[in-house]
C-alpha cells in the first residue's frame, strides 16, 4: 500500500490503544499507524472472530437513509474502489452489483426505495423479471415478484477476514503492536481522561487515547465509563455453504434470504427471520437448530438458477452491532478526554472510511463528516 506522510500535530496523543479486533478496530489501528502514531491493537480473541467474521459484508448505500449517512456510506464505497484498484485480482473484494426486491404486497415500497435512491444520485434501476436473467447471471427470475427488482450495479461485497489480513500486515509494517487473545479489556480513567488499558491477563498499556471498537460490546463498556449509548443490537445468523458450481457474482437481498459469493466458490447466506430461532446456550454462546439452517439454505436455493442443493459448511450466530437509532456512533466522547467510539451497523461498508476519519479526529481534531454521528446526539 502507498505510504502517507504523518499529519500528527504537536497536541496529538503519543500513545494510542485501539480496543477491538473487528474490521472497524483493525482499519482504525492501521490508519493511525500509517499516520505515524504509536499504536497498540488489543483484541479479545483473533481479529474478525466476532461480528466481522459473520457479516454478509454487502457494500452498499441502498434503501432510504438520511443524507449525511448516505454520504458517509458512499465515501466508504469510494475507499473500497481505491483498494480494488490496488488489488484488481483479489478474490475477496468484488464490485458486481446488487439485486434487491420486496415482498409481493410491498410494490409501493420497492418504487419508493428506487425513487429515493435516484434522488440521491445512487445508481438504481427497476428491472423486470424478464430483464433479471440477462442483467444478473446466476439468478432464477421466477423467484422475483411480478413488480420486479432494483438493480444497483455499483454495489459489491468484501470478505472481511481477508481484508483484515491485508490491513494488519500494513499495520505491523508501519510499527503497530498487535496483542491478540487478550480476553476482555478494561479502560481506566483518571481525572476525566483515559490513562491505560488493562487486559484480562494483566497486561497494562499506558495511553493518551483509546478507540473503543468492540462491536456489540461497545455500549456496555462505554456505560462503565459513564457514557450511555442506546442499543438496538439483535442476534443474527450467517451460514456459508460448501463450494458449488454457480454463476452468481452479485449480492442478492430478498425478503427470505440474502446471498453473496465467497472467495472459495461457496455462498454466504443470512436473513432477519432466523433471529427468532436462535437460542442462547448455557455456555453463553448461541445455538441454531439444524432445521433452521436447512430452511434458510432452501430459501437461498430458490433464488439461484437451477435451484441447486445447498449444503451448510459453517455457521455462526451472535450479536450484530446496531445503535438505537440505526445510525453510526463515531468519534470523540466529550465527557472522557481521549476516548473515541466506533459502534455501527454496516461495519463492512464503513470500515475503511471510518478508520480514516477517526484517525483524523484522534490526531487532528473533529472531522465534519463525523459531526452528525457523535454520541452527544443522544444527550
Amino acid at each position: 500500500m502507498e505510504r502517507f506522510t504523518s499529519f500528527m500535530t504537536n497536541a496529538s496523543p503519543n500513545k494510542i490503544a485501539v480496543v477491538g479486533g473487528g474490521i472497524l478496530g483493525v482499519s482504525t489501528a492501521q490508519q493511525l499507524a500509517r499516520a505515524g502514531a504509536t499504536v497498540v491493537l488489543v483484541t479479545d480473541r483473533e481479529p474478525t472472530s466476532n461480528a466481522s467474521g459473520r457479516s454478509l459484508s454487502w457494500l452498499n448505500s441502498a434503501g432510504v437513509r438520511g443524507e449525511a449517512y448516505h454520504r458517509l456510506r458512499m465515501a466508504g464505497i469510494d475507499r473500497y474502489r481505491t483498494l480494488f484498484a490496488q488489488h484488481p485480482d483479489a478474490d475477496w473484494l468484488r464490485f458486481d452489483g446488487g439485486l434487491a426486491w420486496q415482498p409481493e404486497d410491498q410494490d409501493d415500497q420497492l418504487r419508493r426505495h428506487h425513487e429515493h435512491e435516484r434522488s440521491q444520485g445512487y445508481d438504481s434501476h427497476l428491472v423486470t423479471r424478464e430483464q433479471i436473467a440477462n442483467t444478473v447471471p446466476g439468478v432464477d427470475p421466477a423467484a422475483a415478484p411480478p413488480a420486479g427488482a432494483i438493480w444497483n450495479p455499483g454495489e459489491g461485497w468484501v470478505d472481511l477476514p481477508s481484508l483484515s489480513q491485508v490491513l494488519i500486515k500494513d499495520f505491523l509494517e508501519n510499527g503497530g503492536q498487535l496483542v491478540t487473545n487478550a480476553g476482555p479489556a478494561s479502560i481506566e480513567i483518571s481525572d476525566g481522561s483515559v490513562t491505560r488499558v488493562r487486559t484480562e491477563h494483566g497486561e497494562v498499556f499506558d495511553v493518551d487515547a483509546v478507540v473503543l471498537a468492540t462491536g456489540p460490546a461497545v455500549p456496555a463498556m462505554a456505560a462503565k465509563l459513564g457514557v450511555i449509548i442506546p442499543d438496538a443490537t439483535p442476534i443474527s445468523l450467517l451460514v456459508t455453504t460448501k463450494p458449488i458450481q454457480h454463476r452468481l457474482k452479485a449480492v442478492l437481498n430478498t425478503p427470505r434470504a440474502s446471498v453473496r459469493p465467497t472467495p472459495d466458490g461457496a455462498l454466504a447466506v443470512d436473513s432477519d427471520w432466523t433471529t427468532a430461532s436462535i437460542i442462547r446456550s448455557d455456555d453463553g454462546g448461541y445455538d441454531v437448530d439444524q432445521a433452521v439452517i436447512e430452511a434458510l439454505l432452501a430459501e437461498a436455493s430458490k433464488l439461484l438458477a437451477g435451484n441447486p442443493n445447498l449444503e451448510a459448511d459453517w455457521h455462526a450466530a451472535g450479536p450484530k452491532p446496531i445503535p438505537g437509532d440505526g445510525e453510526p456512533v463515531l468519534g470523540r466522547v466529550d465527557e472522557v478526554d481521549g476516548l473515541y467510539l466506533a459502534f455501527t451497523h454496516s461495519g463492512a461498508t464503513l470500515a475503511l472510511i471510518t478508520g480514516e476519519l477517526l484517525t483524523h479526529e484522534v490526531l487532528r481534531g473533529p472531522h465534519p463528516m463525523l459531526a452528525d454521528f457523535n454520541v452527544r446526539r443522544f444527550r
Side-chain angles (χ1 to χ4, degrees):
M1 289 187 175
E2 181 184 356
R3 296 177 184 269
F4 295 95
T5 303
S6 169
F7 53 60
M8 292 193 296
T9 68
N10 291 333
S12 296
N14 294 319
K15 295 176 289 186
I16 305 166
V18 178
V19 180
I23 198 62
L24 292 178
V26 169
S27 172
T28 303
Q30 180 237 9
Q31 288 289 325
L32 285 164
R34 295 180 84 190
T38 300
V39 191
V40 57
L41 173 60
V42 181
T43 75
D44 63 341
R45 294 189 287 173
E46 291 297 319
T48 67
S49 59
N50 291 315
S52 293
R54 43 184 164 76
S55 168
L56 190 71
S57 309
W58 170 32
L59 306 178
N60 78 96
S61 189
V64 178
R65 62 189 79 256
E67 183 178 346
Y69 192 16
H70 174 70
R71 188 166 60 247
L72 183 66
R73 291 174 73 103
M74 292 304 294
I77 294 171
D78 172 78
R79 297 308 189 271
Y80 274 107
R81 291 197 174 278
T82 300
L83 185 64
F84 186 63
Q86 297 168 348
H87 300 270
D89 298 323
D91 59 3
W92 46 266
L93 175 60
R94 306 302 303 171
F95 283 98
D96 294 301
L99 185 74
W101 62 72
Q102 302 291 333
E104 289 191 20
D105 60 352
Q106 296 182 22
D107 294 353
D108 290 344
Q109 182 169 310
L110 180 79
R111 294 187 178 278
R112 282 198 301 271
H113 282 191
H114 169 64
E115 290 168 1
H116 180 81
E117 289 171 3
R118 297 279 291 178
S119 74
Q120 292 190 312
Y122 197 61
D123 197 358
S124 178
H125 306 268
L126 285 177
V127 291
T128 65
R129 277 176 167 172
E130 293 73 21
Q131 292 171 320
I132 287 174
N134 294 325
T135 305
V136 193
V139 177
D140 184 350
I150 295 176
W151 169 239
N152 302 115
E155 295 178 352
W157 60 269
V158 61
D159 182 74
L160 292 181
S162 299
L163 171 62
S164 176
Q165 292 178 15
V166 173
L167 299 183
I168 287 175
K169 180 176 182 292
D170 191 69
F171 168 70
L172 295 174
E173 289 175 351
N174 280 280
Q177 179 184 358
L178 177 62
V179 179
T180 62
N181 298 300
S186 60
I187 300 169
E188 299 179 8
I189 60 176
S190 177
D191 297 326
S193 301
V194 298
T195 55
R196 62 184 59 89
V197 169
R198 188 183 301 273
T199 74
E200 184 181 51
H201 306 305
E203 293 175 284
V204 177
F205 301 94
D206 293 323
V207 294
D208 304 300
V210 174
V211 179
L212 179 57
T214 50
V218 167
M221 293 183 69
K224 292 180 179 179
L225 304 175
V227 182
I228 304 304
I229 306 172
D231 187 13
T233 294
I235 306 303
S236 67
L237 167 70
L238 184 79
V239 179
T240 57
T241 71
K242 294 180 180 179
I244 64 167
Q245 292 293 323
H246 67 84
R247 295 189 298 144
L248 183 68
K249 294 183 177 180
V251 180
L252 307 183
N253 187 14
T254 79
R256 295 291 295 176
S258 295
V259 185
R260 68 156 170 88
T262 68
D264 62 356
L267 299 168
V269 187
D270 76 2
S271 188
D272 290 342
W273 66 262
T274 63
T275 295
S277 302
I278 301 172
I279 303 170
R280 192 70 183 260
S281 60
D282 294 338
D283 63 1
Y286 297 89
D287 293 330
V288 184
D289 192 280
Q290 184 63 29
V292 174
I293 295 172
E294 292 175 358
L296 177 60
L297 294 184
E299 295 288 352
S301 175
K302 296 175 185 177
L303 306 176
L304 304 175
N307 307 132
N309 179 49
L310 301 179
E311 297 181 69
D313 181 59
W314 175 88
H315 75 274
K320 177 169 67 175
I322 300 182
D325 62 357
E327 299 217 338
V329 176
L330 302 171
R332 180 180 184 273
V333 175
D334 295 337
E335 297 89 342
V336 182
D337 189 37
L339 179 63
Y340 300 81
L341 302 176
F343 176 57
T344 183
H345 179 43
S346 298
T349 299
L350 298 179
L352 301 182
I353 191 63
T354 291
E356 178 183 323
L357 299 184
L358 282 176
T359 292
H360 183 288
E361 192 140 306
V362 173
L363 299 182
R364 302 183 65 180
H367 193 287
M369 286 190 73
L370 296 184
D372 289 318
F373 307 111
N374 193 282
V375 70
R376 72 175 67 95
R377 72 180 184 271
F378 297 117
R379 304 293 179 259

